[in-house]
Amino acid sequence: MNSYQIKKIRRVAAVLLAAAIVGVLSALVADTLKVVTEHYEEIFLGVLHQNHFLIFIIPLIGLSTIHVLRYFLFHNKSNKGIKEVLDTINKNGNTLPSYKIPSHYFNGLLTVIFGGSTGIEVSTVVSTAAIGALSSRKVSYLRKYRTDLVCAGLAAGVTALFNAPVAGFLFAFEVFTRRKSKLHTISVVTAILTSYAITRLFFYKQVFHFTVTEWHTEALPYIALLGILAGLNSVYLTKSVLFFKKFFASFRNDYIRIIGGSLLISTLVFFVPNLYGEGYEGIKHVFSQVNVPSMTFMLPLVAVLLLKPIATSVTLGAGGDGGVFAPSLFIGAFLGLIVCVVLNHYFGLGLIPVNFVLIGMAAVLSGSIHAPFTSIFLVCALADNYVLFIPIVIACLISKWVAHRVFPYSVYTYQPKVALKSTI
């Protein structure tokens, strides 16, 4: 081999080694954040069961702590979530400095455990993407592979959170970049495999426990209907987030924003406790009811369905750190059960509730992030089987199409008109 080939082999080996290290570090960040968040969220929920009125203090403490950390420790710079990662990849900007790792880690943790109605997924994605960006800066000849390592980090983070390596891979390619380089693909796969190995060995825990055994082709029209409704609910969530972010940004006084936002969150959670935190306990409660669904508990389900987007949007607008991943799964679970119960009650169709809950979760997520294949494999991983693969594919594709037709942006891709004018 000539010197050029040897040099090329060494660089490929260096990139793959860096991707493996990024995968390990990303798994540790994602898994520890998940474990710590679940632990303290359970503690705070236990405290609230003893005294419901503490909810009027808890979100205020969380948002105030985030504000103090952001002001004194993180240079008073706002967290823009997924858009930070997209700017790093698409605009070749150095927008993921190393402090983004602890910033999103602690802000995401504080947001959820203190009652913010969102999840830790976006905080994890930005933190692990920043790990990839950091590795590309530490070694000079890895700088040209920054996009590869950033995507490797975020894919590894999603893999660790959901025990879903295929979803992690597809998320990197559907949302962030469609690069077809062999090295890019191999580096992302390397990070995913190392992350998955760490998670399975040390942190594996099944998020939901339920049994899916069959589905019937006669249900396809109603699955399509669920896909349409999921697309509309996705747009409702997206527009709610954009509206409340703009609304809270209009307040020049941070204290008014924090106090007003925490009061709104507290009021919503006081009357609808399932809105607290990321909502996985609420989803588990839904699964506990799927075998005995009735019209008697429809009103609470509808209230949750309508208020969750508002609670999430207020959390993010008031300064919380998070995104629409967990809220989309939460909304989809409730939507699926509502559709199933209504159809069975009024038309006697005999639809399987647990199937509609899972299909709804995937469909709403697909419409919210405009990534149907990520949603398909993520929910199949949560279900730990692929029995519902075909109906989930149908619902996700319909949901994404409907959402895109009604509003052709996700919360990641929307650009305010003012910002667009200023760049011309």
Side-chain angles (χ1 to χ4, degrees):
M1 291 187 293
N2 58 39
S3 59
Y4 172 76
Q5 291 174 317
I6 295 173
K7 186 177 180 180
K8 184 177 180 180
I9 291 173
R10 286 178 177 173
R11 291 217 169 183
V12 169
V15 173
L16 296 184
L17 177 60
I21 295 172
V22 167
V24 172
L25 296 176
S26 297
L28 293 175
V29 166
D31 286 320
T32 57
L33 179 56
K34 178 171 61 176
V35 170
V36 173
T37 301
E38 289 175 354
H39 176 72
Y40 283 101
E41 187 178 9
E42 184 177 344
I43 290 175
F44 276 88
L45 285 171
V47 171
L48 283 175
H49 285 314
Q50 301 296 322
N51 189 341
H52 296 296
F53 290 96
L54 285 176
I55 190 59
F56 290 98
I57 300 175
I58 290 176
L60 178 61
I61 295 173
L63 291 177
S64 299
T65 306
I66 290 171
H67 177 72
V68 170
L69 288 176
R70 187 172 290 159
Y71 187 84
F72 290 103
L73 194 60
F74 302 128
H75 312 294
N76 200 27
K77 293 183 179 179
S78 62
N79 289 332
K80 299 178 182 178
I82 295 295
K83 287 185 178 181
E84 295 174 288
V85 185
L86 288 169
D87 288 343
T88 298
I89 293 172
N90 299 325
K91 297 182 180 180
N92 295 319
N94 185 19
T95 58
L96 285 176
S98 56
Y99 79 85
K100 290 292 182 182
I101 301 170
S103 170
H104 281 276
Y105 188 100
F106 289 109
N107 288 348
L109 169 66
L110 292 169
T111 298
V112 174
I113 67 174
F114 282 98
S117 194
T118 183
I120 60 171
E121 295 79 14
V122 168
S123 303
T124 302
V125 166
V126 181
S127 297
T128 54
I131 292 173
L134 177 63
S135 68
S136 69
R137 291 197 298 272
K138 288 298 182 181
V139 182
S140 58
Y141 58 78
L142 289 179
R143 288 175 184 170
K144 64 184 293 186
Y145 303 105
R146 181 182 58 188
T147 296
D148 307 309
L149 295 174
V150 167
C151 288
L154 64 92
V158 172
T159 297
L161 275 181
F162 296 102
N163 306 306
V166 178
F169 178 84
L170 291 170
F171 184 60
F173 282 85
E174 276 192 297
V175 176
F176 295 95
T177 179
R178 292 177 173 83
R179 293 182 69 174
K180 297 180 180 179
S181 162
K182 291 181 181 179
L183 181 58
H184 178 78
T185 302
I186 295 172
S187 61
V188 172
V189 170
T190 299
I192 286 172
L193 292 177
T194 54
S195 174
Y196 187 63
I198 295 293
T199 301
R200 292 291 296 192
L201 285 173
F202 301 107
F203 298 97
Y204 179 74
K205 180 182 177 182
Q206 189 69 31
V207 180
F208 303 112
H209 300 276
F210 46 83
T211 303
V212 179
T213 57
E214 61 179 350
W215 68 278
H216 304 108
T217 55
E218 293 84 357
L220 284 177
Y222 313 108
I223 291 168
L225 172 63
L226 178 57
I228 294 170
L229 295 175
L232 296 175
N233 273 270
S234 300
V235 174
Y236 172 43
L237 174 60
T238 299
K239 289 202 169 188
S240 293
V241 171
L242 295 175
F243 171 80
F244 279 99
K245 278 193 171 184
K246 182 179 179 181
F247 174 74
F248 279 100
S250 65
F251 291 102
R252 295 184 179 181
N253 190 311
D254 290 333
Y255 300 105
I256 294 177
R257 172 174 53 81
I258 292 170
I259 295 172
S262 62
L263 182 60
L264 281 172
I265 296 167
S266 298
T267 304
L268 290 171
V269 175
F270 181 80
F271 289 105
V272 187
N274 278 332
L275 299 178
Y276 190 99
E278 57 191 359
Y280 287 156
E281 287 301 317
I283 295 176
K284 292 175 184 178
H285 178 71
V286 168
F287 278 119
S288 69
Q289 302 292 321
V290 295
N291 293 324
V292 285
S294 66
M295 293 297 292
T296 57
F297 67 102
M298 282 295 295
L299 185 60
L301 292 182
V302 173
V304 170
L305 186 70
L306 295 176
L307 294 176
K308 180 64 174 182
I310 296 174
T312 298
S313 304
V314 172
T315 300
L316 300 178
D321 197 280
V324 298
F325 245 94
S328 296
L329 296 174
F330 181 93
I331 292 167
F334 280 80
L335 175 66
L337 186 57
I338 289 171
V339 170
C340 183
V341 170
V342 169
L343 291 175
N344 283 343
H345 179 79
Y346 288 104
F347 302 99
L349 298 175
L351 301 173
I352 303 173
V354 67
N355 291 4
F356 272 69
V357 169
L358 283 167
I359 295 167
M361 290 169 67
V364 174
L365 180 61
S366 173
S368 296
I369 66 175
H370 290 192
F373 295 103
T374 298
S375 308
I376 291 164
F377 285 94
L378 190 148
V379 171
C380 285
L382 290 177
D384 202 23
N385 67 59
Y386 286 81
V387 172
L388 296 176
F389 184 77
I390 292 176
I392 286 176
V393 168
I394 293 170
C396 285
L397 292 177
I398 292 174
S399 174
K400 195 263 182 180
W401 181 81
V402 170
H404 191 268
R405 291 286 296 180
V406 176
F407 188 67
Y409 304 100
S410 68
V411 292
Y412 309 147
T413 59
Y414 180 77
Q415 295 291 337
K417 292 181 179 180
V418 174
L420 291 174
K421 289 179 182 179
S422 65
T423 60
I424 296 175

Coordinates of all heavy atoms in Angstrom, one line a residue, residues 253-292:
N253 N -39.3 40.9 31.2 CA -38.9 40.6 32.6 C -39.0 39.1 32.8 O -40.0 38.5 32.7 CB -39.9 41.3 33.5 CG -39.5 41.2 35.0 OD1 -39.1 40.2 35.5 ND2 -39.6 42.4 35.7
D254 N -37.8 38.6 33.1 CA -37.7 37.1 33.3 C -38.5 36.6 34.5 O -39.0 35.5 34.5 CB -36.2 36.7 33.5 CG -35.4 36.9 32.2 OD1 -36.0 36.8 31.1 OD2 -34.2 37.0 32.3
Y255 N -38.6 37.4 35.5 CA -39.3 37.0 36.7 C -40.8 36.8 36.4 O -41.5 35.9 36.9 CB -39.1 38.0 37.8 CG -37.6 38.1 38.2 CD1 -36.9 39.2 37.8 CD2 -37.0 37.1 38.9 CE1 -35.6 39.3 38.1 CE2 -35.7 37.2 39.2 CZ -34.9 38.3 38.8 OH -33.6 38.4 39.1
I256 N -41.4 37.7 35.6 CA -42.8 37.6 35.2 C -43.0 36.4 34.4 O -44.0 35.6 34.6 CB -43.2 38.9 34.4 CG1 -43.2 40.1 35.3 CG2 -44.6 38.6 33.9 CD1 -43.6 41.4 34.6
R257 N -42.1 36.1 33.5 CA -42.2 34.9 32.7 C -42.1 33.6 33.5 O -42.9 32.7 33.3 CB -41.0 34.9 31.6 CG -40.9 33.6 30.8 CD -39.9 33.7 29.8 NE -38.6 34.2 30.3 CZ -37.7 33.4 30.9 NH1 -38.0 32.1 31.0 NH2 -36.6 33.8 31.3
I258 N -41.2 33.6 34.5 CA -41.0 32.4 35.3 C -42.2 32.2 36.2 O -42.8 31.1 36.3 CB -39.7 32.5 36.1 CG1 -38.5 32.4 35.1 CG2 -39.7 31.4 37.2 CD1 -37.2 32.7 35.8
I259 N -42.6 33.3 36.9 CA -43.8 33.2 37.9 C -45.1 32.8 37.1 O -45.8 32.0 37.5 CB -43.9 34.5 38.7 CG1 -42.7 34.7 39.6 CG2 -45.2 34.4 39.5 CD1 -42.6 36.0 40.3
G260 N -45.3 33.5 36.0 CA -46.5 33.3 35.2 C -46.6 31.9 34.7 O -47.6 31.2 34.8
G261 N -45.4 31.4 34.1 CA -45.4 30.1 33.5 C -45.5 29.0 34.6 O -46.3 28.0 34.4
S262 N -44.9 29.2 35.7 CA -45.0 28.1 36.8 C -46.4 28.1 37.3 O -46.9 27.0 37.7 CB -44.0 28.4 37.9 OG -44.2 29.7 38.5
L263 N -47.0 29.2 37.4 CA -48.4 29.3 38.0 C -49.4 28.5 37.0 O -50.3 27.8 37.4 CB -48.9 30.7 38.2 CG -50.3 30.9 38.7 CD1 -50.4 30.2 40.1 CD2 -50.6 32.4 38.8
L264 N -49.2 28.7 35.7 CA -50.0 28.0 34.7 C -49.8 26.5 34.8 O -50.7 25.7 34.8 CB -49.7 28.6 33.3 CG -50.4 29.9 32.9 CD1 -49.8 30.4 31.6 CD2 -51.9 29.7 32.8
I265 N -48.5 26.1 34.9 CA -48.2 24.7 34.9 C -48.8 24.1 36.2 O -49.5 23.0 36.2 CB -46.7 24.5 35.0 CG1 -46.1 24.9 33.6 CG2 -46.4 23.0 35.2 CD1 -44.6 25.0 33.7
S266 N -48.7 24.8 37.3 CA -49.2 24.3 38.6 C -50.7 24.1 38.6 O -51.2 23.1 39.1 CB -48.8 25.3 39.7 OG -47.4 25.4 39.9
T267 N -51.4 25.1 38.0 CA -52.9 25.0 37.9 C -53.3 23.9 37.1 O -54.2 23.1 37.5 CB -53.4 26.4 37.3 OG1 -53.0 27.5 38.1 CG2 -54.9 26.3 37.3
L268 N -52.7 23.7 35.9 CA -53.0 22.6 35.0 C -52.8 21.2 35.7 O -53.6 20.3 35.7 CB -52.2 22.7 33.7 CG -52.6 23.8 32.8 CD1 -51.6 23.9 31.7 CD2 -54.0 23.6 32.2
V269 N -51.6 21.1 36.4 CA -51.3 19.8 37.0 C -52.2 19.6 38.2 O -52.5 18.4 38.5 CB -49.8 19.8 37.4 CG1 -49.5 18.5 38.2 CG2 -48.9 19.8 36.1
F270 N -52.6 20.6 38.9 CA -53.4 20.5 40.1 C -54.8 19.8 39.7 O -55.3 18.9 40.4 CB -53.7 21.8 40.7 CG -54.5 21.8 42.0 CD1 -54.0 21.4 43.2 CD2 -55.9 22.1 41.9 CE1 -54.8 21.3 44.4 CE2 -56.7 22.0 43.1 CZ -56.1 21.6 44.3
F271 N -55.3 20.2 38.6 CA -56.6 19.7 38.2 C -56.5 18.4 37.3 O -57.4 17.6 37.3 CB -57.4 20.8 37.4 CG -57.9 21.9 38.2 CD1 -57.3 23.1 38.2 CD2 -59.0 21.7 39.1 CE1 -57.7 24.2 39.0 CE2 -59.4 22.7 39.9 CZ -58.8 24.0 39.9
V272 N -55.3 18.3 36.6 CA -55.1 17.1 35.8 C -53.7 16.5 36.2 O -52.7 16.8 35.5 CB -55.2 17.4 34.3 CG1 -55.1 16.1 33.5 CG2 -56.5 18.2 34.0
P273 N -53.6 15.7 37.2 CA -52.3 15.3 37.7 C -51.5 14.5 36.7 O -50.2 14.5 36.8 CB -52.7 14.3 38.9 CG -54.0 14.8 39.3 CD -54.7 15.3 38.1
N274 N -52.1 13.9 35.7 CA -51.3 13.1 34.7 C -50.4 14.0 33.8 O -49.6 13.5 33.1 CB -52.3 12.4 33.8 CG -52.7 11.1 34.4 OD1 -52.0 10.5 35.2 ND2 -53.9 10.6 34.0
L275 N -50.6 15.3 33.9 CA -49.8 16.3 33.1 C -48.4 16.5 33.8 O -47.5 17.1 33.2 CB -50.5 17.6 33.0 CG -51.8 17.6 32.3 CD1 -52.4 19.0 32.2 CD2 -51.7 17.1 30.8
Y276 N -48.2 16.0 35.0 CA -46.9 16.2 35.7 C -45.8 15.4 34.9 O -45.9 14.3 34.6 CB -47.0 15.6 37.1 CG -45.8 16.0 38.0 CD1 -45.9 17.1 38.9 CD2 -44.6 15.3 37.9 CE1 -44.9 17.4 39.7 CE2 -43.6 15.7 38.7 CZ -43.7 16.7 39.6 OH -42.6 17.1 40.4
G277 N -44.7 16.1 34.7 CA -43.5 15.5 34.2 C -43.6 15.0 32.8 O -44.5 15.4 32.0
E278 N -42.9 14.0 32.4 CA -42.8 13.4 31.1 C -44.1 12.6 30.7 O -44.4 12.4 29.6 CB -41.6 12.6 30.9 CG -41.4 11.4 31.8 CD -40.1 10.8 31.8 OE1 -39.2 11.3 30.9 OE2 -39.8 9.9 32.6
G279 N -44.8 12.1 31.8 CA -46.1 11.5 31.5 C -46.1 10.0 31.3 O -47.1 9.4 31.0
Y280 N -44.9 9.4 31.5 CA -44.9 7.9 31.3 C -45.7 7.2 32.3 O -46.3 6.1 32.0 CB -43.4 7.4 31.4 CG -42.6 7.8 30.2 CD1 -41.2 7.9 30.2 CD2 -43.2 8.1 28.9 CE1 -40.5 8.3 29.1 CE2 -42.5 8.4 27.8 CZ -41.1 8.5 27.9 OH -40.4 8.9 26.8
E281 N -45.9 7.7 33.6 CA -46.8 7.1 34.5 C -48.2 7.2 34.0 O -49.0 6.3 34.3 CB -46.6 7.8 35.9 CG -45.4 7.5 36.6 CD -45.2 6.0 36.9 OE1 -46.2 5.4 37.3 OE2 -44.1 5.5 36.7
G282 N -48.6 8.3 33.4 CA -49.9 8.4 32.8 C -50.2 7.4 31.7 O -51.2 6.9 31.6
I283 N -49.1 7.2 30.9 CA -49.3 6.2 29.8 C -49.4 4.8 30.4 O -50.3 4.0 30.0 CB -48.0 6.2 28.9 CG1 -48.0 7.5 28.1 CG2 -48.1 5.0 27.9 CD1 -46.7 7.7 27.3
K284 N -48.7 4.5 31.5 CA -48.8 3.2 32.2 C -50.2 3.1 32.7 O -50.8 2.0 32.7 CB -47.8 3.1 33.3 CG -46.4 2.9 32.8 CD -45.4 2.9 33.9 CE -43.9 2.9 33.4 NZ -42.9 3.0 34.5
H285 N -50.8 4.2 33.2 CA -52.2 4.1 33.8 C -53.1 3.8 32.6 O -54.1 3.1 32.8 CB -52.5 5.5 34.4 CG -53.9 5.6 34.9 ND1 -54.4 4.9 36.0 CD2 -55.0 6.3 34.4 CE1 -55.6 5.1 36.2 NE2 -56.0 6.0 35.3
V286 N -52.9 4.4 31.4 CA -53.7 4.1 30.3 C -53.7 2.6 30.0 O -54.7 2.0 29.7 CB -53.3 4.9 29.1 CG1 -54.0 4.4 27.8 CG2 -53.6 6.4 29.3
F287 N -52.5 2.0 30.0 CA -52.4 0.6 29.7 C -53.1 -0.2 30.7 O -53.6 -1.3 30.4 CB -50.9 0.2 29.6 CG -50.2 0.5 28.3 CD1 -49.2 1.4 28.2 CD2 -50.7 -0.1 27.1 CE1 -48.6 1.7 27.0 CE2 -50.1 0.2 25.9 CZ -49.0 1.1 25.8
S288 N -53.1 0.2 31.9 CA -53.8 -0.5 33.0 C -55.3 -0.5 32.8 O -56.1 -1.4 33.4 CB -53.5 0.0 34.4 OG -54.1 1.3 34.5
Q289 N -55.8 0.4 32.0 CA -57.3 0.5 31.7 C -57.7 -0.1 30.4 O -58.9 -0.1 30.2 CB -57.7 2.0 31.7 CG -57.3 2.8 33.0 CD -58.2 2.3 34.2 OE1 -59.3 2.0 34.1 NE2 -57.5 2.2 35.4
V290 N -56.8 -0.5 29.6 CA -57.2 -0.9 28.2 C -58.1 -2.2 28.2 O -58.8 -2.4 27.3 CB -55.9 -1.2 27.3 CG1 -55.2 0.1 27.1 CG2 -55.0 -2.3 27.9
N291 N -58.0 -3.0 29.2 CA -58.8 -4.2 29.2 C -60.2 -4.0 29.7 O -61.1 -4.9 29.5 CB -58.1 -5.3 30.1 CG -56.8 -5.7 29.6 OD1 -56.6 -5.9 28.4 ND2 -55.8 -6.0 30.4
V292 N -60.4 -2.9 30.4 CA -61.8 -2.6 30.8 C -62.2 -1.2 30.4 O -62.6 -0.4 31.3 CB -61.9 -2.8 32.4 CG1 -62.0 -4.2 32.7 CG2 -60.8 -2.0 33.1

